[in-house]
Amino acid sequence: MDKRQLSVVITDMFKNLTPSQVSVFLKNADTAIVRVVSDAFKGMTFSSRAKLLNSQFKQQQPSLFQERIYIFEAFTKDEVAQLHSKKQEPPSDQVSKGYRESAREAE
Amino acid sequence: MAQVNWTILKDRAATYMKSCESLLATGDNELVQNALESAHLAVELALKSAIGRNGGHYPDFGRRGHDLSELVLCKFEDGLSSVLLKAKNDQNTSIINLGLTAWTMDCRYQILNNRANMVEAISDYKEFYIWIRDSFLS
């Protein structure tokens, strides 16, 4: 199955989430990155979203599921918009910024 | 660069996971991020230990040396086996999918900004680490 066919199958698989975007990137023969953008993910942790997509995929396409690694990128529309902005503002309930972000600011 | 002996990597991985658990147990929000990073390192070193034990050669410099998605594909000495192949044979690729998803959200997007996200990512890393340890390092 080529990338186009894989994209079609995966898009159909996740249509119940009414996604605004589904994209598939084949990193290599053994690894695919599946991005699903949907506001159905609002209020869910990233782990919960990944488990939802993983479980649905495994159930609906067990053979295809076993063929390779799938890294799931599950974002809401707002989160995707923030990914593209230069600086992300952390949510209000965040833990401390941490050294990585402070290091970035210091650059 | 010479590959580090697999038993040393195994022990360091275990220590990082112990650190993760200790940091998480403090309940201090600032330390949760350190716990997440410790869990990530535990997985990385456990993968390198698994590869080394089985005669494989892991990338040990640059970005590739820290790319978990590359480490799971590294071939062992027989040129066929790998961490991924074992997961496929076990019908357990989910464990890799979820571990690498946590890694991507943390390292690539740095989007795990709240406690709930970090704690669940740590749980996914921990499951992945335990599977690597039990499958390859025991």
Side-chain angles (χ1 to χ4, degrees):
Chain A
M1 190 179 287
D2 65 18
K3 182 195 160 179
R4 195 190 64 80
Q5 291 168 314
L6 187 61
S7 292
V8 168
V9 169
I10 290 176
T11 300
D12 185 66
M13 204 186 323
F14 295 131
K15 63 178 186 274
N16 63 306
L17 299 170
T18 52
S20 56
Q21 179 197 339
V22 177
S23 52
V24 177
F25 170 62
L26 289 179
K27 187 176 177 184
N28 51 51
D30 292 303
T31 311
I33 298 170
V34 177
R35 177 179 284 196
V36 180
V37 180
S38 169
D39 282 348
F41 296 132
K42 275 186 182 170
M44 294 175 71
T45 60
F46 286 101
S47 175
S48 300
R49 301 175 195 185
K51 284 174 176 130
L52 173 68
L53 297 177
N54 188 78
S55 167
Q56 210 166 299
F57 196 150
K58 188 175 181 180
Q59 209 173 15
Q60 292 189 33
Q61 295 280 347
S63 298
L64 186 61
F65 181 80
Q66 274 291 106
E67 276 183 20
R68 57 175 67 78
I69 299 163
Y70 294 96
I71 298 174
F72 297 106
E73 298 186 353
F75 299 117
T76 63
K77 288 183 215 168
D78 287 344
E79 286 163 353
V80 162
Q82 282 181 14
L83 287 178
H84 296 302
S85 66
K86 274 194 174 176
K87 189 170 180 173
Q88 296 175 42
E89 283 304 314
S92 57
D93 67 337
Q94 66 133 5
V95 297
S96 107
K97 284 182 182 179
Y99 76 90
R100 277 181 294 178
E101 196 164 320
S102 61
R104 251 202 327 270
E105 286 172 353
E107 282 173 8
Chain B
M1 187 188 279
Q3 304 265 281
V4 176
N5 183 280
W6 75 271
T7 57
I8 294 173
L9 293 172
K10 173 190 167 185
D11 290 343
R12 287 183 64 195
T15 304
Y16 272 119
M17 188 47 71
K18 221 169 154 181
S19 295
C20 166
E21 287 164 347
S22 298
L23 289 164
L24 206 51
T26 64
D28 186 325
N29 272 351
E30 289 202 19
L31 296 181
V32 173
Q33 185 161 321
N34 288 60
L36 179 63
E37 287 161 16
S38 293
H40 163 205
L41 286 166
V43 168
E44 180 181 319
L45 295 186
L47 283 170
K48 288 175 175 175
S49 178
I51 295 163
R53 187 180 191 188
N54 288 280
H57 191 96
Y58 54 81
D60 51 20
F61 63 91
R63 290 183 86 165
R64 291 186 64 219
H66 301 291
D67 187 332
L68 300 192
S69 69
E70 288 228 13
L71 293 176
V72 297
L73 301 181
C74 268
K75 296 292 185 216
F76 297 166
E77 191 173 27
D78 64 6
L80 291 169
S81 307
S82 64
V83 170
L84 173 60
L85 185 60
K86 167 70 173 162
K88 283 184 176 182
N89 290 341
D90 287 356
Q91 304 268 312
N92 195 10
T93 53
S94 293
I95 202 124
I96 296 184
N97 294 349
L98 296 176
L100 292 188
T101 295
W103 173 72
T104 300
M105 290 299 115
D106 180 31
C107 296
R108 182 176 176 188
Y109 293 112
Q110 297 181 359
I111 205 170
L112 302 182
N113 287 328
N114 65 35
R115 185 185 176 87
N117 271 315
M118 285 195 229
V119 168
E120 288 197 9
I122 288 168
S123 177
D124 293 336
Y125 271 145
K126 191 172 178 182
E127 278 200 44
F128 191 16
Y129 164 77
I130 290 171
W131 176 80
I132 297 164
R133 183 196 65 192
D134 293 348
S135 300
F136 298 102
L137 306 179
S138 54

